[in-house]
Amino acid sequence: PKDPSGSPSAASIKIKKEVANAFVKRHKRSDFYERYFVHYKSPLEQMHERCESYPPCDYLSDQIGFFTAYNRFFG
């Protein structure tokens, strides 16, 4: 569907999400504390990643809960 002017209508223009992400940039955070937390993970997040990277702990955390599984393997 084209307009009388010859250009395609906005409804007919579609691009993939991956392509759109290539040229639509996020605004950078300006707050110091927000930038700090982007670069440094909390201790709880580090514990989760440690447990997720060890398959027995990851499997057991689904069964009995994260803290119990973490303490059983790393506590």
Side-chain angles (χ1 to χ4, degrees):
K2 290 190 175 188
D3 290 340
S5 64
S7 63
S9 66
S12 67
I13 299 174
K14 296 190 188 250
I15 58 174
K16 293 181 179 179
K17 191 183 294 187
E18 296 81 20
V19 176
N21 287 338
F23 63 87
V24 176
K25 300 293 182 191
R26 263 184 46 202
H27 292 287
K28 293 187 177 184
R29 297 178 176 165
S30 60
D31 189 14
F32 170 75
Y33 293 105
E34 288 180 2
R35 285 187 301 202
Y36 173 81
F37 286 117
V38 168
H39 295 292
Y40 298 100
K41 297 176 184 172
S42 70
L44 182 62
E45 188 175 356
Q46 291 174 357
M47 290 168 58
H48 272 282
E49 288 182 353
R50 185 175 183 192
C51 187
E52 287 172 353
S53 66
Y54 186 57
C57 182
D58 188 33
Y59 175 77
L60 195 60
S61 70
D62 291 336
Q63 307 298 319
I64 62 173
F66 166 72
F67 287 108
T68 309
Y70 185 87
N71 285 333
R72 182 170 295 175
F73 290 102
F74 304 109

Coordinates of all heavy atoms in Angstrom, one line a residue:
P1 N 0.8 -1.2 0.0 CA 0.0 0.0 0.0 C 0.9 1.2 0.0 O 1.6 1.5 0.9 CB -0.8 -0.1 1.3 CG -0.2 -1.2 2.1 CD 0.7 -2.0 1.2
K2 N 0.7 2.0 -1.0 CA 1.5 3.2 -1.1 C 0.6 4.4 -1.1 O -0.6 4.4 -1.5 CB 2.3 3.3 -2.4 CG 3.4 2.3 -2.4 CD 4.3 2.5 -3.6 CE 5.5 1.6 -3.5 NZ 6.5 1.9 -4.5
D3 N 1.1 5.5 -0.6 CA 0.4 6.8 -0.6 C 0.4 7.3 -2.0 O 1.2 6.9 -2.8 CB 1.1 7.8 0.4 CG 0.9 7.4 1.8 OD1 0.0 6.6 2.2 OD2 1.7 7.9 2.7
P4 N -0.5 8.3 -2.2 CA -0.5 8.9 -3.6 C 0.8 9.6 -3.9 O 1.2 9.7 -5.0 CB -1.6 9.9 -3.5 CG -2.5 9.4 -2.4 CD -1.7 8.7 -1.5
S5 N 1.6 9.9 -2.8 CA 2.9 10.6 -3.1 C 3.9 9.6 -3.5 O 5.0 10.0 -4.0 CB 3.3 11.3 -1.8 OG 3.5 10.3 -0.8
G6 N 3.7 8.3 -3.4 CA 4.6 7.3 -3.9 C 5.4 6.7 -2.8 O 6.2 5.7 -3.0
S7 N 5.3 7.1 -1.5 CA 6.1 6.5 -0.5 C 5.3 5.5 0.3 O 4.1 5.6 0.3 CB 6.6 7.6 0.5 OG 5.5 8.2 1.1
P8 N 5.9 4.4 0.8 CA 5.1 3.4 1.5 C 4.6 3.9 2.8 O 5.1 4.8 3.4 CB 6.2 2.3 1.8 CG 7.5 2.9 1.6 CD 7.3 4.1 0.7
S9 N 3.4 3.4 3.2 CA 2.8 3.9 4.5 C 3.6 3.3 5.7 O 4.3 2.3 5.5 CB 1.4 3.5 4.5 OG 1.3 2.0 4.6
A10 N 3.4 3.9 6.8 CA 4.1 3.5 8.0 C 3.7 2.1 8.4 O 4.5 1.3 9.0 CB 3.9 4.5 9.1
A11 N 2.5 1.7 8.2 CA 2.0 0.4 8.6 C 2.7 -0.7 7.7 O 2.8 -1.9 8.2 CB 0.5 0.3 8.4
S12 N 3.1 -0.4 6.5 CA 3.7 -1.5 5.7 C 5.2 -1.6 5.9 O 5.8 -2.5 5.4 CB 3.5 -1.1 4.2 OG 4.2 0.0 3.9
I13 N 5.8 -0.8 6.7 CA 7.3 -0.9 7.0 C 7.5 -1.7 8.3 O 7.0 -1.3 9.3 CB 7.9 0.5 7.1 CG1 7.7 1.3 5.9 CG2 9.4 0.4 7.5 CD1 8.2 2.7 6.0
K14 N 8.1 -2.8 8.1 CA 8.4 -3.6 9.3 C 9.9 -4.1 9.3 O 10.4 -4.4 8.2 CB 7.5 -4.9 9.3 CG 6.0 -4.5 9.4 CD 5.2 -5.8 9.6 CE 3.8 -5.4 9.6 NZ 3.1 -5.4 10.8
I15 N 10.5 -4.0 10.4 CA 11.9 -4.5 10.6 C 12.0 -5.4 11.7 O 11.1 -5.4 12.7 CB 12.9 -3.3 10.7 CG1 12.5 -2.5 11.9 CG2 12.9 -2.5 9.5 CD1 13.6 -1.4 12.2
K16 N 12.9 -6.3 11.7 CA 13.1 -7.2 12.8 C 13.6 -6.5 14.1 O 14.3 -5.5 14.0 CB 14.1 -8.3 12.4 CG 13.6 -9.2 11.4 CD 14.7 -10.3 11.1 CE 14.2 -11.2 10.0 NZ 15.2 -12.3 9.7
K17 N 13.4 -7.1 15.2 CA 13.8 -6.5 16.5 C 15.3 -6.4 16.6 O 15.8 -5.4 17.1 CB 13.3 -7.3 17.7 CG 13.4 -6.7 19.0 CD 13.0 -7.6 20.1 CE 11.5 -7.8 20.1 NZ 11.0 -8.6 21.2
E18 N 16.0 -7.4 16.1 CA 17.5 -7.3 16.1 C 18.1 -6.2 15.3 O 19.0 -5.5 15.7 CB 18.1 -8.7 15.7 CG 17.7 -9.9 16.5 CD 16.4 -10.4 16.2 OE1 15.8 -10.2 15.1 OE2 15.8 -11.1 17.1
V19 N 17.4 -5.9 14.2 CA 17.9 -4.9 13.3 C 17.6 -3.5 13.9 O 18.4 -2.6 13.9 CB 17.2 -5.0 11.9 CG1 17.6 -3.8 11.0 CG2 17.6 -6.3 11.2
A20 N 16.4 -3.4 14.5 CA 16.0 -2.2 15.2 C 17.0 -1.8 16.4 O 17.3 -0.7 16.6 CB 14.6 -2.2 15.7
N21 N 17.4 -2.9 17.1 CA 18.3 -2.7 18.2 C 19.7 -2.2 17.8 O 20.4 -1.6 18.6 CB 18.4 -3.9 19.1 CG 17.2 -4.2 19.9 OD1 16.4 -3.3 20.1 ND2 17.0 -5.5 20.2
A22 N 20.0 -2.4 16.5 CA 21.3 -2.0 16.1 C 21.4 -0.5 16.0 O 22.5 0.1 16.1 CB 21.6 -2.6 14.7
F23 N 20.3 0.2 15.7 CA 20.5 1.6 15.5 C 19.7 2.4 16.6 O 19.8 3.7 16.6 CB 20.1 2.1 14.1 CG 18.7 1.8 13.7 CD1 17.7 2.7 14.0 CD2 18.3 0.6 13.1 CE1 16.4 2.5 13.6 CE2 17.0 0.4 12.7 CZ 16.1 1.3 13.0
V24 N 18.9 1.8 17.4 CA 18.2 2.5 18.5 C 19.1 2.3 19.8 O 19.2 1.2 20.3 CB 16.8 2.0 18.7 CG1 16.1 2.6 19.9 CG2 16.0 2.2 17.4
K25 N 19.7 3.3 20.2 CA 20.6 3.3 21.4 C 19.8 3.7 22.7 O 19.0 4.6 22.7 CB 21.8 4.2 21.2 CG 22.6 3.8 20.0 CD 23.2 2.4 20.2 CE 24.1 2.1 18.9 NZ 24.5 0.8 18.9
R26 N 20.1 3.0 23.8 CA 19.6 3.3 25.1 C 20.4 4.5 25.6 O 21.6 4.7 25.4 CB 19.9 2.2 26.1 CG 18.7 1.3 26.3 CD 19.0 0.3 27.3 NE 19.6 0.8 28.5 CZ 20.3 0.2 29.4 NH1 20.5 -1.1 29.2 NH2 20.8 0.7 30.4
H27 N 19.7 5.3 26.4 CA 20.3 6.5 27.1 C 21.2 5.9 28.2 O 20.8 5.0 28.9 CB 19.3 7.4 27.7 CG 18.6 8.2 26.6 ND1 19.1 9.2 25.8 CD2 17.3 8.0 26.2 CE1 18.2 9.6 25.0 NE2 17.1 8.9 25.2
K28 N 22.4 6.4 28.3 CA 23.3 5.9 29.4 C 22.8 6.5 30.7 O 22.3 7.6 30.8 CB 24.7 6.3 29.1 CG 25.3 5.6 27.9 CD 26.7 5.9 27.8 CE 27.3 5.1 26.6 NZ 28.7 5.3 26.5
R29 N 23.0 5.7 31.8 CA 22.6 6.2 33.1 C 23.6 7.2 33.6 O 24.8 7.1 33.4 CB 22.6 5.0 34.0 CG 21.5 4.0 33.6 CD 21.5 2.8 34.6 NE 20.5 1.9 34.2 CZ 20.4 0.7 34.7 NH1 21.3 0.2 35.5 NH2 19.4 -0.1 34.3
S30 N 23.1 8.2 34.2 CA 24.0 9.3 34.6 C 24.2 9.3 36.1 O 25.1 10.0 36.6 CB 23.3 10.7 34.3 OG 22.1 10.8 34.9
D31 N 23.4 8.5 36.9 CA 23.6 8.5 38.3 C 24.8 7.6 38.7 O 24.9 6.5 38.2 CB 22.3 7.9 39.0 CG 22.3 8.1 40.5 OD1 23.2 8.8 41.0 OD2 21.5 7.4 41.1
F32 N 25.7 8.1 39.6 CA 26.9 7.3 39.9 C 26.5 6.0 40.5 O 27.1 5.0 40.2 CB 27.7 8.1 41.0 CG 28.8 7.3 41.5 CD1 30.0 7.0 40.8 CD2 28.7 6.8 42.8 CE1 31.0 6.3 41.3 CE2 29.8 6.0 43.4 CZ 30.9 5.8 42.6
Y33 N 25.6 5.9 41.4 CA 25.2 4.7 42.1 C 24.6 3.7 41.1 O 24.9 2.5 41.2 CB 24.3 4.9 43.2 CG 24.9 5.7 44.3 CD1 24.6 7.0 44.5 CD2 25.8 5.1 45.2 CE1 25.2 7.8 45.5 CE2 26.5 5.8 46.2 CZ 26.2 7.2 46.3 OH 26.8 7.9 47.3
E34 N 23.9 4.1 40.1 CA 23.4 3.2 39.1 C 24.5 2.6 38.3 O 24.5 1.4 38.0 CB 22.3 3.9 38.3 CG 21.0 4.1 39.0 CD 20.0 4.8 38.1 OE1 20.3 5.0 36.9 OE2 18.9 5.1 38.6
R35 N 25.4 3.5 37.9 CA 26.6 3.0 37.1 C 27.4 2.0 38.0 O 27.9 1.0 37.4 CB 27.5 4.1 36.7 CG 26.8 4.9 35.5 CD 27.8 5.9 35.0 NE 28.2 6.8 36.2 CZ 28.6 8.0 36.0 NH1 28.8 8.5 34.8 NH2 28.9 8.7 37.1
Y36 N 27.5 2.2 39.3 CA 28.3 1.4 40.1 C 27.7 0.0 40.2 O 28.4 -1.0 40.0 CB 28.3 2.0 41.6 CG 29.0 1.0 42.6 CD1 30.3 1.0 42.7 CD2 28.2 0.3 43.4 CE1 30.9 0.1 43.6 CE2 28.8 -0.6 44.4 CZ 30.1 -0.6 44.5 OH 30.7 -1.5 45.4
F37 N 26.3 -0.1 40.3 CA 25.7 -1.4 40.4 C 25.6 -2.1 39.1 O 25.4 -3.3 39.1 CB 24.3 -1.2 41.0 CG 24.3 -0.9 42.5 CD1 23.8 0.3 43.0 CD2 24.9 -1.8 43.4 CE1 23.9 0.6 44.3 CE2 24.9 -1.6 44.7 CZ 24.4 -0.4 45.2
V38 N 25.8 -1.4 38.0 CA 25.9 -2.1 36.7 C 27.2 -2.9 36.6 O 27.2 -4.0 36.1 CB 25.8 -1.1 35.5 CG1 26.1 -1.7 34.2 CG2 24.4 -0.5 35.5
H39 N 28.3 -2.4 37.1 CA 29.6 -3.0 37.0 C 29.9 -4.0 38.1 O 30.7 -4.9 38.0 CB 30.7 -1.9 37.0 CG 30.6 -1.0 35.8 ND1 30.9 -1.5 34.5 CD2 30.3 0.3 35.6 CE1 30.7 -0.5 33.6 NE2 30.3 0.6 34.3
Y40 N 29.3 -3.8 39.3 CA 29.6 -4.7 40.5 C 28.3 -5.4 40.9 O 27.3 -4.8 41.2 CB 30.1 -3.8 41.6 CG 31.4 -3.2 41.2 CD1 31.5 -1.8 40.8 CD2 32.6 -3.9 41.2 CE1 32.6 -1.2 40.5 CE2 33.8 -3.3 40.8 CZ 33.8 -1.9 40.5 OH 35.0 -1.4 40.1
K41 N 28.4 -6.7 40.9 CA 27.3 -7.5 41.3 C 27.1 -7.6 42.8 O 28.1 -7.6 43.5 CB 27.4 -8.9 40.7 CG 27.4 -8.9 39.2 CD 27.7 -10.2 38.6 CE 27.8 -10.1 37.1 NZ 28.2 -11.4 36.5
S42 N 25.9 -7.7 43.3 CA 25.7 -7.9 44.7 C 26.2 -9.3 45.1 O 26.2 -10.2 44.3 CB 24.2 -7.7 45.0 OG 23.5 -8.8 44.5
P43 N 26.4 -9.5 46.4 CA 26.9 -10.8 46.9 C 25.8 -11.9 46.6 O 26.2 -13.0 46.3 CB 27.1 -10.6 48.4 CG 27.4 -9.1 48.5 CD 26.6 -8.5 47.4
L44 N 24.5 -11.5 46.7 CA 23.5 -12.5 46.5 C 23.5 -12.9 45.0 O 23.3 -14.1 44.7 CB 22.1 -11.9 46.9 CG 20.9 -12.8 46.7 CD1 21.1 -14.1 47.6 CD2 19.6 -12.1 47.0
E45 N 23.7 -12.0 44.1 CA 23.8 -12.3 42.7 C 25.0 -13.2 42.4 O 24.9 -14.1 41.6 CB 23.8 -11.0 41.8 CG 23.7 -11.3 40.4 CD 23.6 -10.0 39.5 OE1 23.5 -8.9 40.1 OE2 23.5 -10.2 38.3
Q46 N 26.1 -12.9 43.1 CA 27.3 -13.7 42.9 C 27.0 -15.2 43.4 O 27.5 -16.1 42.7 CB 28.5 -13.1 43.6 CG 28.9 -11.8 43.0 CD 30.0 -11.2 43.8 OE1 30.4 -11.6 44.9 NE2 30.5 -10.1 43.4
M47 N 26.3 -15.3 44.5 CA 25.9 -16.6 45.0 C 25.1 -17.4 44.0 O 25.3 -18.6 43.8 CB 25.2 -16.5 46.4 CG 26.1 -16.0 47.5 SD 25.3 -15.6 49.0 CE 24.4 -17.0 49.4
H48 N 24.1 -16.7 43.4 CA 23.2 -17.3 42.5 C 24.0 -17.8 41.3 O 23.7 -18.9 40.8 CB 22.1 -16.3 42.0 CG 20.9 -16.3 42.9 ND1 19.9 -17.3 42.8 CD2 20.5 -15.5 43.8 CE1 19.0 -17.1 43.7 NE2 19.3 -15.9 44.3
E49 N 24.9 -17.0 40.8 CA 25.7 -17.4 39.6 C 26.6 -18.5 39.9 O 26.8 -19.4 39.1 CB 26.5 -16.2 39.1 CG 25.6 -15.2 38.4 CD 26.4 -14.0 37.8 OE1 27.6 -13.9 38.1 OE2 25.8 -13.2 37.2
R50 N 27.1 -18.6 41.1 CA 28.0 -19.7 41.5 C 27.2 -21.0 41.6 O 27.6 -22.0 41.1 CB 28.6 -19.4 42.9 CG 29.6 -20.4 43.3 CD 30.3 -20.0 44.6 NE 31.3 -21.0 45.0 CZ 31.8 -21.0 46.2 NH1 31.5 -20.1 47.1 NH2 32.7 -21.9 46.4
C51 N 26.0 -20.9 42.1 CA 25.1 -22.1 42.2 C 24.6 -22.5 40.8 O 24.6 -23.7 40.5 CB 23.9 -21.8 43.1 SG 22.9 -23.2 43.5
E52 N 24.3 -21.6 40.0 CA 23.8 -21.9 38.6 C 24.9 -22.5 37.8 O 24.6 -23.3 36.9 CB 23.3 -20.6 37.9 CG 21.9 -20.2 38.5 CD 21.5 -18.8 37.9 OE1 22.3 -18.2 37.1 OE2 20.4 -18.4 38.2
S53 N 26.1 -22.2 38.0 CA 27.2 -22.7 37.2 C 27.6 -24.1 37.7 O 28.4 -24.8 37.0 CB 28.4 -21.8 37.2 OG 29.0 -21.7 38.5
Y54 N 27.1 -24.6 38.8 CA 27.4 -25.9 39.3 C 26.1 -26.7 39.2 O 25.2 -26.5 39.9 CB 27.9 -25.8 40.8 CG 28.3 -27.1 41.3 CD1 29.4 -27.9 40.8 CD2 27.8 -27.6 42.5 CE1 29.8 -29.0 41.3 CE2 28.2 -28.8 43.1 CZ 29.2 -29.5 42.4 OH 29.6 -30.7 43.0
P55 N 26.0 -27.6 38.2 CA 24.8 -28.3 37.9 C 24.1 -29.0 39.1 O 22.9 -28.9 39.2 CB 25.2 -29.3 36.8 CG 26.4 -28.7 36.1 CD 27.1 -28.0 37.2
P56 N 24.8 -29.7 40.0 CA 24.1 -30.3 41.1 C 23.4 -29.3 42.0 O 22.3 -29.5 42.4 CB 25.1 -31.1 41.9 CG 26.2 -31.3 40.9 CD 26.2 -30.2 40.0
C57 N 24.0 -28.1 42.2 CA 23.4 -27.1 43.0 C 22.2 -26.5 42.3 O 21.2 -26.2 42.9 CB 24.5 -26.0 43.3 SG 23.8 -24.7 44.4
D58 N 22.4 -26.2 41.0 CA 21.3 -25.7 40.2 C 20.1 -26.6 40.2 O 18.9 -26.1 40.4 CB 21.8 -25.4 38.8 CG 20.8 -24.6 37.9 OD1 20.1 -23.8 38.5 OD2 20.7 -24.9 36.7
Y59 N 20.3 -27.9 40.0 CA 19.2 -28.8 40.0 C 18.5 -28.9 41.4 O 17.3 -28.8 41.5 CB 19.7 -30.2 39.7 CG 18.6 -31.3 39.7 CD1 17.6 -31.4 38.8 CD2 18.6 -32.2 40.8 CE1 16.7 -32.3 38.8 CE2 17.6 -33.1 40.9 CZ 16.6 -33.2 39.9 OH 15.6 -34.1 40.0
L60 N 19.3 -28.9 42.5 CA 18.8 -29.0 43.8 C 18.1 -27.7 44.2 O 17.1 -27.8 45.0 CB 19.9 -29.4 44.8 CG 19.4 -29.8 46.2 CD1 18.6 -31.1 46.1 CD2 20.6 -30.1 47.1
S61 N 18.5 -26.6 43.7 CA 17.9 -25.3 44.1 C 16.4 -25.3 43.5 O 15.6 -24.7 44.1 CB 18.7 -24.1 43.6 OG 18.6 -24.1 42.2
D62 N 16.2 -26.0 42.4 CA 14.8 -26.1 41.9 C 14.0 -27.0 42.8 O 12.7 -26.8 42.8 CB 14.8 -26.6 40.4 CG 15.4 -25.6 39.5 OD1 15.4 -24.4 39.7 OD2 15.9 -26.1 38.4
Q63 N 14.6 -27.9 43.4 CA 13.8 -28.9 44.2 C 13.6 -28.4 45.6 O 12.4 -28.5 46.1 CB 14.6 -30.2 44.3 CG 15.0 -30.8 43.0 CD 13.8 -31.1 42.1 OE1 12.8 -31.6 42.6 NE2 13.9 -30.8 40.8
I64 N 14.6 -27.9 46.3 CA 14.4 -27.5 47.8 C 14.6 -26.1 48.1 O 14.5 -25.7 49.2 CB 15.4 -28.4 48.6 CG1 16.9 -28.1 48.3 CG2 15.1 -29.9 48.5 CD1 17.9 -28.8 49.2
G65 N 15.0 -25.3 47.1 CA 15.2 -23.8 47.3 C 16.6 -23.5 47.2 O 17.5 -24.3 47.4
F66 N 16.9 -22.2 46.8 CA 18.2 -21.7 46.5 C 19.1 -21.8 47.8 O 20.2 -22.3 47.8 CB 18.2 -20.3 45.9 CG 19.5 -19.7 46.0 CD1 20.5 -20.1 45.1 CD2 19.8 -18.7 46.9 CE1 21.8 -19.5 45.1 CE2 21.1 -18.1 46.9 CZ 22.1 -18.5 46.0
F67 N 18.7 -21.2 48.9 CA 19.5 -21.0 50.1 C 19.9 -22.4 50.6 O 21.1 -22.6 51.0 CB 18.9 -20.2 51.1 CG 18.8 -18.7 50.8 CD1 17.7 -18.1 50.4 CD2 20.0 -18.0 50.8 CE1 17.7 -16.8 50.0 CE2 20.0 -16.6 50.4 CZ 18.8 -16.0 50.0
T68 N 19.0 -23.3 50.7 CA 19.3 -24.7 51.2 C 20.3 -25.4 50.3 O 21.2 -26.0 50.8 CB 18.0 -25.5 51.3 OG1 17.0 -24.7 52.0 CG2 18.3 -26.8 52.0
A69 N 20.1 -25.3 49.0 CA 21.0 -25.9 48.0 C 22.4 -25.3 48.1 O 23.4 -26.0 48.1 CB 20.4 -25.8 46.6
Y70 N 22.4 -24.0 48.2 CA 23.7 -23.3 48.2 C 24.5 -23.6 49.5 O 25.7 -23.9 49.4 CB 23.5 -21.8 48.2 CG 24.8 -21.0 48.1 CD1 25.4 -20.8 46.9 CD2 25.5 -20.5 49.2 CE1 26.6 -20.1 46.8 CE2 26.7 -19.9 49.1 CZ 27.2 -19.6 47.9 OH 28.4 -19.0 47.8
N71 N 23.8 -23.7 50.6 CA 24.5 -24.0 51.9 C 24.9 -25.5 51.9 O 25.9 -25.8 52.5 CB 23.5 -23.8 53.0 CG 23.4 -22.3 53.3 OD1 24.3 -21.5 53.0 ND2 22.3 -21.9 53.9
R72 N 24.2 -26.4 51.2 CA 24.6 -27.7 51.1 C 25.9 -27.9 50.4 O 26.8 -28.7 50.7 CB 23.5 -28.6 50.5 CG 23.9 -30.1 50.5 CD 22.7 -31.0 50.1 NE 21.7 -30.9 51.2 CZ 20.5 -31.5 51.0 NH1 20.3 -32.2 50.0 NH2 19.6 -31.4 52.0
F73 N 26.1 -27.2 49.3 CA 27.3 -27.3 48.4 C 28.4 -26.4 48.8 O 29.6 -26.7 48.7 CB 26.9 -27.2 46.9 CG 26.1 -28.3 46.4 CD1 24.7 -28.2 46.3 CD2 26.7 -29.6 46.1 CE1 24.0 -29.3 45.8 CE2 26.0 -30.6 45.7 CZ 24.6 -30.5 45.5
F74 N 28.1 -25.1 49.1 CA 29.1 -24.1 49.3 C 29.1 -23.6 50.7 O 30.0 -22.7 51.1 CB 28.9 -23.0 48.4 CG 28.9 -23.4 46.9 CD1 27.7 -23.4 46.2 CD2 30.0 -23.9 46.3 CE1 27.7 -23.8 44.9 CE2 30.0 -24.3 45.0 CZ 28.8 -24.3 44.3
G75 N 28.2 -24.0 51.6 CA 28.1 -23.4 52.9 C 29.1 -23.9 53.9 O 29.7 -23.5 54.7

